[in-house]
């Protein structure tokens, strides 16, 4: 098949009227898309909630443990009998 034949075949295919689309296909597509959108919104909100809970838990842990404070030295014996 030559290039001109392929181009002519492609033009014939493109000039044809498209096949009719079933009317319920649009409503099904809209319903499916809205379900996906709601699911994405729900997942995004849950991830933000999880992030906020993790930040609060870390803050509470940091306040209780105070990892920035240097622990007291236990290598020097206590001074007794002065």
């Amino acid at each position: 098949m030559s290039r001109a034949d392929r181009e002519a075949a492609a033009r014939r295919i493109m000039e044809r009227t498209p096949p009719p689309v079933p009317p319920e296909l649009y409503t099904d597509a809209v319903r499916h898309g809205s379900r996906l959108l709601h699911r994405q919104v729900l997942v995004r909100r849950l991830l933000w909630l999880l992030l906020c809970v993790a930040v609060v838990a870390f803050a509470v842990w940091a306040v209780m443990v105070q990892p920035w404070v240097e622990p007291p030295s236990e290598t020097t014996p206590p001074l007794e009998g002065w």
Side-chain angles (χ1 to χ4, degrees):
M1 188 175 220
S2 69
R3 182 180 176 115
D5 292 338
R6 282 185 284 164
E7 287 178 2
R11 282 195 185 96
R12 281 194 305 272
I13 290 172
M14 292 189 327
E15 288 173 355
R16 283 192 271 179
T17 59
V21 177
E24 67 273 357
L25 185 65
Y26 174 75
T27 57
D28 291 344
V30 168
R31 191 173 340 119
H32 182 68
S34 64
R35 260 190 311 212
L36 286 176
L37 183 62
H38 289 299
R39 188 175 301 145
Q40 286 176 350
V41 168
L42 179 65
V43 167
R44 191 176 303 125
R45 285 181 183 170
L46 286 174
L47 287 176
W48 274 108
L49 178 66
L50 180 65
L51 178 67
C52 291
V53 167
V55 167
V56 168
F58 177 76
V60 168
W61 171 81
V63 167
M64 299 295 285
V65 176
Q66 295 181 352
W68 55 86
V69 176
E70 186 175 324
S73 176
E74 297 177 4
T75 58
T76 306
L79 296 175
E80 297 176 0
W82 276 84

